[in-house]
Amino acid sequence: MQTMRTTCPYCGVGCGVLATPDGRGGLAIAGDPAHPANRGRLCVKGSALGETVTHRGRLLAPHIHGREAGWGEGLDLVAQRFSRTIAEHGPDSVAFYVSGQLLTEDYYVANKLMKGFIGSGNIDTNSRLCMSSSVAGHKRAFGTDTVPGLYEDLELADTVVLVGSNLAWCHPVLYQRLAAAREERGTRIVVIDPRRTATCDIADLHLALAPGSDAALFNLLLAEIARRGMTDRDFAAHLEGFDKALATARETPPSTTGLTHSQLQQFFDLWLGSEKVVTVYSQGVNQSDSGTDKVNAILNCHLATGRIGGAGMGPFSVTGQPNAMGGREVGGLANMLACHLEIENPVHRQAVGAFWNAPRMAQQPGLKAVDMFRAVEEGRIKALWIICTNPAVSMPEADRVARAIAGCDFVVVSDIMAQTDTTRLAHVLLPATGWGEKDGTVTNSERRISRQRRTLPPAGQARDDWRILAAVAARMGWAEAFAWDNPAQIFAEYAALSGVAGDLGSDFDISAHAGITSAEYDALRPFLWPQSARRQGGRFFGDGRFHTPSGRGHLVAVTPRLPSAISDKFPYRLNTGRVRDHWHTMTRTGLSPRLSRHLAEPFLELHPDDATRLGVAPASLAEVSSPHGRAILRVLVTDRVARGHPFAPIHWTGETAPSGRIDALVAGVTDPVSGQPASKSAAVAIRPFAARWFGFAVSSGPIRPDCEYWARAVLANGEQAELAGLDHPQDWTAHARTMFGLSDEPLVLHDRARGQVRLAFLREGRLRAALFVAPEPVGLSRSHVAALLGEGGAEALAGRPGADRPDEGALICACFGVGVNSIVQAIATQRLTSVEAVGQALRAGTNCGSCRPEIRALLEAGIACRTAAE
Ligand SMILES: Nc1nc2c(c(=O)[nH]1)N[C@H]1C(S)=C(S)[C@@H](COP(=O)(O)OP(=O)(O)OC[C@H]3O[C@@H](n4cnc5c(=O)[nH]c(N)nc54)[C@H](O)[C@@H]3O)O[C@H]1N2
Ligand SMILES: Nc1nc2c(c(=O)[nH]1)N[C@H]1C(S)=C(S)[C@@H](COP(=O)(O)OP(=O)(O)OC[C@H]3O[C@@H](n4cnc5c(=O)[nH]c(N)nc54)[C@H](O)[C@@H]3O)O[C@H]1N2
Ligand code: SF4
Ligand SMILES: [Mo]
């Protein structure tokens, strides 16, 4: 079987992957040593890609109103309804909502169809929720949306500052590169995050600043730069707006940040201590109602010191999705045109229109995501096409967005999965080819364009997203402009358009590839843009030349604003984000048993003082509510979060835990410049959830719970579910039968004194399903019970392992299946002191390395215990 070089479909690090078909429909996965992003490394999500290319749950055929239909019928209907809506109500009555997980070629076609042929700007993307504040900040400072630096700058820097970035979990391979550089050359690392994350593990300094106060912090830094006389006078000649930015910065009271004088001084000393400083930032900066200002406050400091565009220095916005960057280049945002050209610029519009031979160029920006769904709600958008994103889960005010979609006249959804919270709302459902089945390009955080390559046949009747879009365009009467045979031709057209853009002064110019042939495209090696006769790769702005009208870099005067005040009714500010082993709405990582074992349930990290005040016990359930919705979450009491500022992950959905949909709580408040939602600061109330019973279930078949709280996860041999309810069912046996879809007679243990019920369904002495119920959170070894499925027998009812079976506890190392209990025990009994030693003893942490921060934390705890005891 031939090994293919391809690119990971998860985060913006953009790691190269070697994928080898195993001949049984699956893939063997390894890191590509030749790819410059990862040089052979992969994190746990990348390593587990083989487990996610199954056909389980895939959407295999087009559906119209829930019934299977042919492609011809589906495409005809989409084209007719869009054409008719446009004819009756004008081009702005339709919209596309797309995704940073589309390939550049898919994105290019969607954008061309909407902005050049339908004639509306109404195409926006989930990058609005992700990168748009960085885009807007870059444009204000540089004149273009340009990431100046390269990954190697993190390795060449003396100081790396991570602002609102949990790099260890969200960009794990970049984190590993940074951790390795620190071992080698002693890089100093600062983490700026209200929460103590896994990333703090390698930090010399963690600043748990007041939520939302980043702009204040960087204003204080700017003032300090001037005070210490550390501005770069030569570089200042290439800048404008300096004096005003500095004057405004000087007005910032240090107390805004909630940090002590000494913490601030330590930070200033570290940032200013070496010219080689990189400031990495991510969603703790972007996802704020002052996100663009936060970005500019950071950029101001790099501009003022001239620390930009040189080796080992510069601001670095890391992108989240595999093609977030490609989508920005291709003009996927409602306010952009392709190749970093601007929709509001008549010269740019004219140039793109002429290149496309477009009958009807959009004349103005379209609706940004939050406004787009409001327009859907109000009936102004009458036909909507959602591609490669799950807005009924991931948009703020998610319940309202779901209702808006449900109320829209005509909704098309293209996805790879049959059942998601969004596909459920579609009138027409179109099956797309997924990762491994499609061909195209993506751009990673450092502007490197890499190929994703096809290694597997399409699942069922699935088609490539660009082919679906082009087929609809043809049926709408534009066959000629959408007549590509393969993605290489689309890429060549795009590269040619970038040459036109380059002539107009755009930084994004890859016209060196304008004549690319299919064979060359197939052989295309990862490359950095730009690639043109003018310029190849490299860093930007070190030469002091910017893309603003004056050619100067711009410092923006920033008056820090904190998130809107919380009220007595909703006194907690909810922070949201990601966990290590899941990806967004889990449609793919949720298929992998080993990825599902790290954290199998939605949770709420709550400070011990808050937990005491609220009367919620560890491992109990809390009800979290906001004016927009409610959620029920497992309580995790921890001082990693600050008082009043709990944290919850974003990944759970109607499919996996209907009461865990976090965006049901988040208000649709946006940054005024970028339109990006403030996803990290929802005002919420919290109270104990008064469950009468708690349960845990395992089954070798699907589990269909029917109670107020449930969360399910896949196992290697079935499923597991956490359960809780307000009222006891009349009959536990009947309840369990319905939930497991079994009609057998279970073995029942009823401990009336303790209020416990245990049921086991056996067939030929082997365990098929079991349910454990108790009046308090069920305390038993999940991994042990799960391991008994298909074997064991009545002993499952004991709920804990016999002496011969160690209980692994929560899974830490997903690669080798090593749980927390084994690690803690090995650390204690073998007196281990380093991550390497744990690796030698148990193999944990020796493959992808994603769990090394957690192992290090366990080591520290273990060593602290030992020292205290000695
Ligand atoms: N495992 C995993 N990795 C992923 C993804 C995934 O789903 N799972 N998704 C990818 C995508 S699309 C993205 S966008 C990236 C996101 O990558 P990150 O931005 O690193 O991840 P988040 O967890 O969203 O948020 C980062 C941190 O911001 C902090 N924060 C909250 N409020 C503030 C604040 O006011 N100031 C500061 N300084 N920090 C604050 C949070 O506590 C959190 O730790 O991850 C990518 N990588
Ligand atoms: N509260 C809160 N909300 C957030 C965030 C946060 O930090 N806090 N983060 C925001 C961010 S940064 C992001 S990026 C979004 C992510 O949110 P979404 O984009 O909604 O999440 P995904 O689960 O990645 O959705 C991708 C969908 O596309 C499907 N899919 C996968 N591959 C393909 C393909 O090749 N073609 C097609 N047509 N479909 C495919 C998947 O099955 C899935 O249904 O969430 C945002 N929402
Ligand atoms: S760091 Fe992990 S998720 Fe991100 S691209 Fe690399 S392997 Fe994929
Ligand atoms: Mo994102």
Side-chain angles (χ1 to χ4, degrees):
M1 292 286 172
Q2 211 199 335
T3 296
M4 275 291 192
R5 293 205 125 85
T6 183
T7 312
C8 176
Y10 297 122
C11 84
V13 178
C15 295
V17 171
L18 298 176
T20 315
D22 62 10
R24 287 169 278 121
L27 292 175
I29 299 293
D32 180 355
H35 199 289
N38 56 319
R39 302 181 199 129
R41 293 178 169 104
L42 286 181
C43 79
V44 61
K45 293 186 298 302
S47 308
L49 272 167
E51 287 175 33
T52 66
V53 292
T54 127
H55 284 194
R56 194 149 37 100
R58 284 290 297 268
L59 176 64
L60 298 171
H63 285 72
I64 299 175
H65 296 296
R67 94 182 138 78
E68 194 171 317
W71 269 109
E73 196 189 348
L75 295 170
D76 282 346
L77 181 62
V78 175
Q80 274 165 19
R81 288 296 299 260
F82 268 80
S83 295
R84 204 173 77 201
T85 309
I86 295 161
E88 286 173 10
H89 304 280
D92 291 330
S93 65
V94 303
F96 296 168
Y97 183 62
V98 302
S99 163
Q101 293 167 73
L102 284 173
L103 302 176
T104 295
E105 292 73 6
D106 301 324
Y107 237 135
Y108 179 83
V109 176
N111 195 47
K112 179 176 178 180
L113 175 56
M114 183 55 82
K115 292 194 183 128
F117 290 74
I118 290 177
S120 167
N122 283 346
I123 171 170
D124 209 35
T125 137
N126 62 2
S127 283
R128 183 68 60 196
L129 320 178
C130 179
M131 301 312 307
S132 60
S133 295
S134 278
V135 173
H138 287 154
K139 288 182 71 181
R140 291 203 300 193
F142 310 145
T144 43
D145 173 22
T146 316
V147 171
L150 308 173
Y151 287 161
E152 65 180 38
D153 292 327
L154 274 75
E155 293 159 331
L156 298 171
D158 296 323
T159 303
V160 172
V161 179
L162 300 160
V163 197
S165 154
N166 186 6
L167 207 71
W169 283 9
C170 296
H171 297 89
V173 166
L174 205 49
Y175 166 85
Q176 287 173 31
R177 286 179 61 171
L178 177 60
R182 180 179 185 253
E183 295 277 302
E184 233 166 76
R185 64 197 303 276
T187 318
R188 284 157 312 177
I189 297 171
V190 182
V191 173
I192 300 175
D193 192 315
R195 194 167 63 110
R196 198 169 75 240
T197 61
T199 308
C200 295
D201 183 55
I202 55 164
D204 299 277
L205 177 66
H206 169 220
L207 297 179
L209 80 177
S213 67
D214 306 78
L217 179 63
F218 281 87
N219 265 2
L220 294 169
L221 175 62
L222 184 63
E224 184 72 8
I225 288 168
R227 204 183 64 80
R228 295 194 192 179
M230 293 189 74
T231 55
D232 180 332
R233 279 172 223 282
D234 295 336
F235 201 72
H238 302 290
L239 303 174
E240 58 198 13
F242 205 135
D243 295 342
K244 198 159 164 240
L246 183 59
T248 316
R250 283 187 169 133
E251 286 162 18
T252 306
S255 59
T256 320
T257 60
L259 299 170
T260 63
H261 178 74
S262 126
Q263 283 177 315
L264 288 171
Q265 290 306 317
Q266 271 178 284
F267 171 58
F268 298 153
D269 289 346
L270 279 170
W271 205 94
L272 288 164
S274 158
E275 199 195 7
K276 293 199 167 170
V277 56
V278 174
T279 309
V280 175
Y281 55 96
S282 189
Q283 300 314 343
V285 170
N286 292 337
Q287 288 174 338
S288 149
D289 53 4
S290 62
T292 310
D293 279 352
K294 287 183 175 189
V295 169
N296 285 107
I298 294 171
L299 300 182
N300 284 349
C301 295
H302 281 276
L303 290 171
T305 49
R307 294 176 181 178
I308 188 166
M313 64 178 76
F316 207 127
S317 148
V318 281
T319 50
Q321 299 177 90
N323 202 29
M325 189 74 112
R328 282 147 67 175
E329 292 149 19
V330 92
L333 291 163
N335 50 328
M336 299 291 294
L337 279 179
C339 309
H340 285 182
L341 296 177
E342 285 167 358
I343 204 164
E344 278 151 307
N345 182 321
V347 178
H348 291 182
R349 273 203 312 270
Q350 203 278 329
V352 177
F355 180 88
W356 280 342
N357 201 5
R360 193 170 187 176
M361 270 305 283
Q363 297 298 310
Q364 62 204 21
L367 296 169
K368 299 180 176 130
V370 170
D371 293 334
M372 181 183 280
F373 285 98
R374 298 259 159 91
V376 171
E377 178 178 57
E378 288 162 16
R380 286 182 282 131
I381 302 279
K382 297 171 196 304
L384 174 67
W385 191 350
I386 298 166
I387 309 175
C388 198
T389 174
N390 196 354
V393 182
S394 57
M395 283 286 294
E397 297 179 29
D399 290 346
R400 178 173 173 189
V401 167
R403 281 195 302 272
I405 300 171
C408 185
D409 288 352
F410 186 63
V411 178
V412 186
V413 177
S414 302
D415 206 288
I416 57 169
M417 302 305 286
Q419 284 291 335
T420 75
D421 291 9
T422 304
T423 61
R424 260 199 292 283
L425 305 171
H427 299 118
V428 179
L429 197 47
L430 301 173
T433 49
W435 182 83
E437 303 163 2
K438 56 198 280 181
D439 260 320
T441 54
V442 291
T443 312
N444 73 5
S445 298
E446 63 166 352
R447 288 182 275 112
R448 196 177 293 280
I449 298 180
S450 306
R451 282 292 318 275
Q452 270 193 22
R453 291 186 174 88
R454 184 195 312 267
T455 39
L456 296 168
Q461 300 176 42
R463 290 191 184 173
D464 300 334
D465 285 298
W466 71 265
R467 284 185 201 275
I468 303 174
L469 283 153
V472 167
R475 280 166 166 79
M476 291 176 78
W478 302 303
E480 212 183 311
F482 292 83
W484 309 280
D485 295 322
N486 56 50
Q489 293 171 352
I490 305 175
F491 188 78
E493 178 179 318
Y494 176 45
L497 175 57
S498 78
V500 174
D503 291 341
L504 290 170
S506 172
D507 57 340
F508 183 79
D509 185 347
I510 53 165
S511 51
H513 295 285
I516 198 166
T517 63
S518 286
E520 287 164 346
Y521 183 75
D522 284 342
L524 192 67
R525 301 248 293 266
F527 71 92
L528 283 175
W529 67 256
Q531 285 292 327
S532 70
R534 265 179 289 259
R535 238 195 118 146
Q536 292 83 40
R539 298 180 178 86
F540 277 89
F541 311 133
D543 58 3
R545 285 193 307 187
F546 294 87
H547 293 96
T548 51
S550 64
R552 294 211 167 109
H554 196 90
L555 276 81
V556 178
V558 169
T559 306
R561 275 175 297 123
L562 290 180
S564 51
I566 41 177
S567 64
D568 290 349
K569 218 171 149 209
F570 300 102
Y572 290 86
R573 199 184 291 293
L574 180 69
N575 180 8
T576 66
R578 294 157 168 78
V579 303
R580 192 188 80 188
D581 291 0
H582 276 307
W583 178 262
H584 296 170
T585 69
M586 282 185 350
T587 63
R588 288 172 291 165
T589 49
L591 297 168
S592 158
R594 68 170 148 144
L595 294 182
S596 301
R597 275 186 64 193
H598 181 238
L599 291 162
E601 211 183 356
F603 57 87
L604 182 75
E605 286 188 336
L606 195 63
H607 189 273
D609 294 351
D610 292 338
T612 309
R613 185 172 37 222
L614 290 161
V616 293
S620 70
L621 293 169
E623 184 178 327
V624 186
S625 58
S626 84
H628 309 283
R630 88 191 247 279
I632 303 168
L633 303 169
R634 184 76 59 189
V635 176
L636 218 148
V637 178
T638 166
D639 65 2
R640 286 192 295 265
V641 296
R643 269 178 216 94
H645 198 52
F647 172 88
I650 59 173
H651 306 287
W652 279 269
T653 69
E655 290 295 305
T656 47
S659 76
R661 297 169 62 255
I662 283 307
D663 273 300
L665 300 165
V666 178
V669 173
T670 58
D671 178 88
V673 186
S674 66
Q676 176 153 357
S679 317
K680 299 258 183 276
S681 56
V684 298
I686 304 173
R687 57 177 192 157
F689 175 70
R692 295 265 320 278
W693 62 271
F694 294 82
F696 175 72
V698 290
S699 171
S700 42
I703 305 181
R704 293 192 189 77
D706 178 18
C707 49
E708 281 77 10
Y709 174 84
W710 59 263
R712 67 177 164 204
V714 294
L715 298 167
N717 47 1
E719 287 189 2
Q720 70 166 55
E722 298 288 344
L723 313 161
L726 288 174
D727 296 305
H728 280 268
Q730 294 258 313
D731 172 356
W732 279 109
T733 298
H735 185 85
R737 279 188 182 139
T738 316
M739 182 165 71
F740 296 131
L742 295 173
S743 50
D744 318 26
E745 199 55 48
L747 224 64
V748 185
L749 258 175
H750 213 139
D751 181 340
R752 278 178 223 287
R754 292 208 188 90
Q756 292 180 353
V757 187
R758 296 184 168 195
L759 296 95
F761 291 84
L762 304 174
R763 203 167 277 175
E764 286 156 15
R766 293 177 192 282
L767 185 69
R768 298 201 58 195
L771 170 65
F772 301 80
V773 181
E776 66 285 334
V778 178
L780 57 78
S781 165
R782 269 62 176 164
S783 53
H784 166 69
V785 174
L788 292 180
L789 274 178
E791 39 179 298
E795 72 169 287
L797 291 181
R800 61 189 144 67
D804 56 325
R805 272 182 201 259
D807 171 18
E808 284 289 334
L811 196 68
I812 298 291
C813 172
C815 296
F816 295 118
V818 189
V820 61
N821 295 350
S822 306
I823 298 175
V824 168
Q825 203 192 7
I827 290 172
T829 55
Q830 303 179 42
R831 302 183 73 83
L832 306 177
T833 53
S834 68
V835 178
E836 285 64 36
V838 173
Q840 271 164 17
L842 301 167
R843 296 175 81 199
T846 56
N847 183 41
C848 78
S850 288
C851 60
R852 291 167 70 94
E854 279 148 287
I855 296 176
R856 206 166 289 138
L858 292 174
L859 273 164
E860 272 160 26
I863 295 164
C865 280
R866 276 210 303 271
T867 327
E870 277 161 10

